[in-house]
Amino acid sequence: MSVTLKLYNTLTREKAEFSPIDARNVRMYVCGPTVYDYAHIGNARPAIVFDVLFRLLRHVYGENHVTYARNITDVDDKINARALRDHPGLPLNEAIRAVTERTETQYHEDVAALGCLTPTMEPRATDNISQMIEIIEQLIARGHAYLAAGEVLFDTKSMRDYGQLSKRPLDEQQAGARVAVDAHKKNPGDFVLWKLSSHNEPGWESPWGRGRPGWHIECSAMSQRYLGEVFDIHGGGLDLIFPHHENEIAQSRCAHGTDVMANVWMHNGFVQVEGRKMSKSEGNFVTIYDLLHTDTFGGRQWPGDVLRLAMLMTHYREPIDFSVKRLEEAERLIAKWPAADPSDAAPADVVLEALADDLNTVAAVQALHGLAQDANADKSLLHVFAASAALLGVLPQKMEIDEAVAAEIDRRVKARLELLKAKNFAEADKIRDTLSAEGIQLKDGKDPATGERVTTWEVKR
């Protein structure tokens, strides 16, 4: 099937056919985590969304013709604060390293459990300080940045069309996240490119003194180094449109003299939890780790493929209400899908067509469920289902049952039989349904010798 890929571009507010700069090297940059704390469920959404796009681009253009860069922000004031809080006895640099290494490792484990492929590259901010300094020097030389009160700031009024991405007039804009409105700024919207560091803050030598970069310059430097001055797709969450992505565009275009930074800008919608904005003050702040490994959400742990499918059941540009009900719905759906091994078969056209239409994962999941029903009825169709499921990253795998797990399943099966004997059918059904959702199918029968009810079980997926 010849695929015509259409993507919604935040910059133009239109959906249009995607045409890469170089089909032999399609380039995508996505803003990754700031590694000061465990990633929350809101962080999971862009990881999953752009993983699906990565898979789709690889399918269309070839695995060796797509470059996906997702950065790691490992220099940030929040990291400094967490390092001082968690490791007060260590020298600051060691404390920072302890925080960032632990958090980055956990992030990789979490997104891998969600079925996300490893990006082509994951540049770290601290490995690209010299590139940031070089861009800042270019901005000063071109008249787009100035030095004031020990900081280097971007002059927003020096850019004639600043604000194209967010469509916000300059005189209505505020300085934004991580940027204070200070008297030394020429304009309230000017933002920091470089700031001085005190003795107890991380810092690097620069033409403007020992200091550290502002937030926005990090991504401009890393995307330019690894993908070029102009590349194909830049992604991230809706909350990054302003100020982060707006300021990335300003820095990169003004430093390099280009008309665009990326041709297509894509943003996923917000995530609510049980109908409310997620926040620690609301008591509904949920990390990926919590969902996978603790009983803090819905009183149980959730498999990674269920979490992923729950995300994909809403279009990426729409807001999503992440709830126990949604997870249960995703779990019931995936429990009906056959286990299958990846194959070289082509994905079904109906799944490809859905994804090619601005990553319509809602339609793709619906189509995939139909393929699962067909494959359950006709095993010769398993390969088509498997290839299609793999494209979405939700391919059910045959479960490996060790002795300890088998013993636990036996215990629950026996408990159900006791409940049935006591005519407590509601609780017995709960055990059956829970096992079914976990991929364990029960079969009731009678002992031919005694006539008593017996139950056997088998792995469905």
Side-chain angles (χ1 to χ4, degrees):
M1 175 188 175
S2 177
V3 180
T4 300
L5 181 58
K6 292 185 177 181
L7 299 174
Y8 182 85
N9 189 349
T10 307
L11 189 63
T12 62
R13 303 297 198 271
E14 292 179 344
K15 184 167 65 175
E17 183 175 338
F18 174 67
S19 179
I21 299 168
D22 180 1
R24 296 167 300 178
N25 184 20
V26 183
R27 291 161 288 161
M28 176 172 69
Y29 184 91
V30 175
C31 290
T34 300
V35 286
Y36 72 98
D37 200 356
Y38 282 12
H40 55 70
I41 194 61
N43 303 133
R45 196 173 193 191
I48 293 170
V49 165
F50 293 104
D51 178 72
V52 173
L53 181 56
F54 182 37
R55 291 168 183 267
L56 180 61
L57 292 171
R58 283 163 35 121
H59 176 81
V60 174
Y61 297 99
E63 290 188 7
N64 297 324
H65 300 291
V66 180
T67 302
Y68 172 21
R70 184 182 66 204
N71 75 291
I72 298 290
T73 295
D74 60 346
V75 53
D76 181 87
D77 289 348
K78 290 182 179 180
I79 295 174
N80 302 343
R82 180 58 58 90
L84 291 171
R85 188 197 77 178
D86 292 354
H87 305 283
L90 289 179
L92 182 61
N93 285 346
E94 292 182 27
I96 288 173
R97 186 164 61 249
V99 168
T100 58
E101 288 181 354
R102 172 178 56 85
T103 309
E104 181 182 349
T105 297
Q106 189 59 56
Y107 177 78
H108 287 146
E109 291 177 2
D110 289 345
V111 295
L114 297 176
C116 296
L117 301 174
T118 303
T120 315
M121 53 190 63
E122 281 191 293
R124 298 171 66 96
T126 53
D127 292 333
N128 292 272
I129 299 296
S130 62
Q131 285 74 24
M132 299 175 204
I133 291 173
E134 182 179 345
I135 291 177
I136 295 170
E137 289 177 324
Q138 292 172 331
L139 288 169
I140 293 173
R142 289 173 175 263
H144 293 290
Y146 60 95
L147 186 64
E151 295 181 337
V152 183
L153 297 129
F154 184 89
D155 184 352
T156 49
K157 287 194 174 180
S158 72
M159 184 181 184
R160 178 180 53 81
D161 54 354
Y162 178 86
Q164 278 193 329
L165 185 68
S166 60
K167 303 292 190 287
R168 296 167 63 170
L170 186 58
D171 57 3
E172 294 181 6
Q173 295 178 7
Q174 300 299 317
R178 310 189 195 189
V179 181
V181 180
D182 295 318
H184 64 279
K185 294 183 178 182
K186 290 183 180 179
N187 317 292
D190 293 355
F191 55 90
V192 173
L193 301 171
W194 190 265
K195 51 190 172 184
L196 296 181
S197 295
S198 64
H199 71 280
N200 65 342
E201 293 174 323
W204 291 262
E205 294 303 323
S206 79
W208 319 286
R210 181 181 176 276
R212 60 197 191 281
W215 176 31
H216 316 302
I217 196 67
E218 298 174 10
C219 288
S220 285
M222 288 183 279
S223 63
Q224 186 270 332
R225 179 178 181 182
Y226 297 101
L227 302 182
E229 294 179 359
V230 178
F231 50 95
D232 295 297
I233 299 170
H234 195 313
L238 196 65
D239 57 313
L240 297 182
I241 293 177
F242 184 86
H244 186 48
H245 287 170
E246 194 75 84
N247 291 346
E248 276 189 61
I249 292 172
Q251 296 162 159
S252 296
R253 285 184 53 198
C254 290
H256 307 312
T258 57
D259 293 330
V260 295
M261 177 186 181
N263 285 333
V264 179
W265 288 80
M266 298 177 66
H267 296 90
N268 62 269
F270 291 115
V271 176
Q272 290 186 319
V273 175
E274 298 288 1
R276 296 175 297 152
K277 181 179 179 181
M278 184 175 63
S279 70
K280 292 183 178 179
S281 61
E282 288 281 341
N284 65 344
F285 186 87
V286 184
T287 69
I288 305 172
Y289 180 88
D290 288 338
L291 290 163
L292 292 168
H293 302 292
T294 74
D295 298 335
T296 56
F297 195 72
R300 53 163 294 192
Q301 300 172 22
W302 299 94
D305 56 354
V306 170
L307 300 176
R308 183 182 180 96
L309 183 61
M311 284 286 185
L312 298 180
M313 287 161 60
T314 297
H315 192 279
Y316 80 92
R317 287 195 284 117
E318 298 297 323
I320 186 172
D321 184 15
F322 199 79
S323 64
V324 172
K325 181 179 178 181
R326 167 173 291 271
L327 291 175
E328 290 173 341
E329 181 183 356
E331 189 168 55
R332 285 193 297 270
L333 194 64
I334 206 168
K336 297 175 183 177
W337 294 353
D341 295 322
S343 68
D344 295 328
D349 288 354
V350 66
V351 173
L352 268 177
E353 288 169 357
L355 293 180
D357 183 16
D358 192 34
L359 286 190
N360 189 345
T361 58
V362 179
V365 168
Q366 292 171 345
L368 188 63
H369 186 58
L371 293 172
Q373 292 176 315
D374 293 341
N376 281 326
D378 182 354
K379 299 303 181 186
S380 69
L381 300 176
L382 269 175
H383 64 289
V384 177
F385 166 77
S388 303
L391 189 59
L392 279 164
V394 290
L395 180 63
Q397 299 293 316
K398 197 72 173 177
M399 293 174 58
E400 297 293 334
I401 303 293
D402 59 25
E403 291 183 6
V405 173
E408 171 61 16
I409 294 172
D410 286 337
R411 185 194 65 77
R412 292 156 73 185
V413 170
K414 289 177 181 177
R416 174 177 172 270
L417 284 173
E418 292 301 317
L419 289 168
L420 289 172
K421 288 179 182 179
K423 300 189 183 303
N424 190 343
F425 301 113
E427 291 301 317
D429 287 347
K430 284 183 181 179
I431 293 178
R432 180 200 61 203
D433 293 343
T434 301
L435 286 169
S436 177
E438 294 173 6
I440 306 299
Q441 184 174 19
L442 303 186
K443 292 184 178 181
D444 290 324
K446 289 186 177 181
D447 186 314
T450 64
E452 292 185 358
R453 181 195 295 265
V454 294
T455 301
T456 59
W457 58 268
E458 65 178 17
V459 178
K460 293 192 298 180
R461 62 180 177 93

